[in-house]
Amino acid sequence: MTSDVAAVEQPPPMLAAPRTRSGGGMLWRYLLVRFLLIFPTVLILVSVVFFLIRLTGDPITAALGGRLPPDQLQARIHEAGFDRPIIVQYFEYLGQVFTGNFGTTLTDNQLVTDVLIRYGTATLELAVFALIVAFIVGIPLGLVAAAKRDKAPDAGLRVSAILFYATPVFFAGLVAKLIFSVWLGWFPVSGRASVRTELALNREGGTGLYLIDAIASGNPAYVQDVILHAVLPAMTLGLAIGGVFLRLVRTNVIGTHNMPYIDAARSRGVSEYRLVRKHAYKPALIPIVTVIGLQVAILLSGAVLTETTFEWQGIGFQLAKYLGSRDFVAVQGIVAMIAIIVALTNFVVDVIAAFLDPRVRY
């Protein structure tokens, strides 16, 4: 006697579960998309800067109007091509930008690229110092705030974080100069180094990064001088970003406390201190990496005020100078270059985040 065996129905091909792509393929697709997005981003930023600048009129009239006779002024405008249709000027400027030509300054007749190269190292050095301060302040204090959640230290640190990033950079810089330079005399008032150190470092040549050049010179006095000049600008700019990092670390460490693996570790008798330091620390750093790209834009915008306050001879200082003289060709070139730097930095940050956190790729 035979028994009938019910056939197991198979799903039609169109309803079968689709094959999942390999992680490596998804990663490279994600990176390619992020890389291609750089070009429209830069195009939009450069276009916005161009048309906003031209709302004030042609750059030569803005910079030299009233200082030259009308006939000479018109001759300069015609020679520079600023009397042509705006759309023609726009496409010509785009062609120059994509070949690395950001124009020539009107007030001192320098190539904008030369200005960026000469003063860019100073801004880079200040940005690195500020990021170091932000990491030193934001990450440890964020862990402390998470470990002391809803207690007095947590409340105090949260208030401090709000004060850090809500206080205008120029105001914080002026207060820091008044207290630590004028009243206490601990740090220099302004500059990247003393005149003697600058002359020595520039005479010897080098990278343009004063701390590296001072270390390479083998003179401890130069190293000390450069560090003392960098403390107040770096603290002023770094604390603003450190406040953001502090709150991010605190929020994400507290969030990981509800994860199953944290409960499993706690059930094994792991102390709360070790839970925060060992198990919840690394996941909390992933959002920090993703936010760094945005903080670079804040760093560069804050550098304008910080460098002006402390007379730090960087791109921000030069940008403020050209704004004061209404040299909009220089302003346009510097702002466009900053936009490109921010777009490239965000791409690098996206790459790092994709390697650290596979969820970013999907």
Side-chain angles (χ1 to χ4, degrees):
M1 185 175 180
T2 61
S3 58
D4 294 333
V5 179
V8 179
E9 294 185 359
Q10 299 293 331
M14 67 178 61
L15 298 180
R19 292 183 179 180
T20 58
R21 298 191 180 189
S22 62
M26 290 297 294
L27 173 61
W28 289 111
R29 180 185 177 188
Y30 169 81
L31 296 181
L32 177 62
V33 171
R34 300 304 300 177
F35 176 75
L36 293 177
L37 284 176
I38 293 176
F39 298 99
T41 302
V42 171
L43 177 63
I44 293 172
L45 292 173
V46 169
S47 301
V48 169
V49 171
F50 177 87
F51 287 109
L52 285 178
I53 289 293
R54 294 308 169 89
L55 287 177
T56 62
D58 70 271
I60 292 181
T61 301
L64 304 176
R67 297 161 55 185
L68 290 176
D71 56 340
Q72 294 185 20
L73 187 65
Q74 289 301 319
R76 292 283 298 272
I77 292 172
H78 179 73
E79 182 181 355
F82 292 137
D83 55 351
R84 293 176 297 172
I86 190 69
I87 194 66
V88 175
Q89 298 180 46
Y90 169 67
F91 283 109
E92 182 181 24
Y93 180 69
L94 285 183
Q96 292 176 351
V97 168
F98 284 104
T99 58
N101 180 10
F102 291 90
T104 303
T105 63
L106 299 174
T107 51
D108 49 13
N109 198 32
Q110 297 185 79
L111 289 175
V112 176
T113 51
D114 292 342
V115 174
L116 293 169
I117 293 171
R118 184 178 305 114
Y119 298 102
T121 51
T123 300
L124 173 63
E125 191 170 47
L126 177 59
V128 171
F129 290 155
L131 276 178
I132 291 173
V133 171
F135 285 130
I136 292 174
V137 171
I139 294 177
L141 294 183
L143 291 174
V144 172
K148 304 293 183 180
R149 180 183 181 183
D150 296 330
K151 297 180 180 179
D154 179 30
L157 288 173
R158 279 188 290 170
V159 172
S160 299
I162 294 173
L163 291 176
F164 287 161
Y165 68 76
T167 303
V169 174
F170 72 90
F171 178 76
L174 291 174
V175 172
K177 286 175 66 173
L178 180 64
I179 296 174
F180 297 106
S181 297
V182 178
W183 291 352
L184 298 177
W186 291 354
F187 301 105
V189 175
S190 61
R192 296 179 64 193
S194 63
V195 175
R196 178 182 177 184
T197 301
E198 283 195 352
L199 290 175
L201 295 179
N202 292 329
R203 183 172 60 249
E204 295 173 3
T207 63
L209 302 170
Y210 276 9
L211 182 58
I212 294 177
D213 294 340
I215 294 173
S217 70
N219 191 331
Y222 294 165
V223 177
Q224 181 182 7
D225 185 43
V226 170
I227 292 176
L228 287 176
H229 279 80
V231 168
L232 290 185
M235 291 290 291
T236 300
L237 190 54
L239 285 178
I241 303 171
V244 178
F245 288 174
L246 192 158
R247 292 184 66 87
L248 273 176
V249 171
R250 176 190 177 275
T251 301
N252 285 279
V253 169
I254 291 175
T256 55
H257 273 211
N258 300 322
M259 294 295 183
Y261 72 91
I262 295 291
D263 293 335
R266 188 180 288 113
S267 66
R268 295 196 303 269
V270 179
S271 65
E272 290 296 322
Y273 171 77
R274 184 173 176 81
L275 283 176
V276 172
R277 180 177 175 272
K278 185 74 174 177
H279 297 278
Y281 172 62
K282 290 183 179 179
L285 292 184
I286 294 176
I288 294 289
V289 174
T290 59
V291 170
I292 286 178
L294 298 176
Q295 300 308 310
V296 168
I298 297 176
L299 271 175
L300 293 176
S301 61
V304 177
L305 300 175
T306 305
E307 291 179 4
T308 304
T309 303
F310 292 95
E311 297 183 22
W312 187 278
Q313 299 283 334
I315 291 178
F317 184 86
Q318 296 300 313
L319 180 59
K321 186 188 77 171
Y322 288 127
L323 277 170
S325 60
R326 300 179 65 83
D327 189 339
F328 291 147
V329 171
V331 172
Q332 180 176 277
I334 292 174
V335 173
M337 189 62 191
I338 290 175
I340 293 173
I341 292 172
V342 172
L344 291 175
T345 304
N346 275 279
F347 170 70
V348 174
V349 169
D350 287 338
V351 172
I352 296 173
F355 279 100
L356 291 178
D357 188 0
R359 296 172 298 179
V360 175
R361 311 169 194 172
Y362 298 97

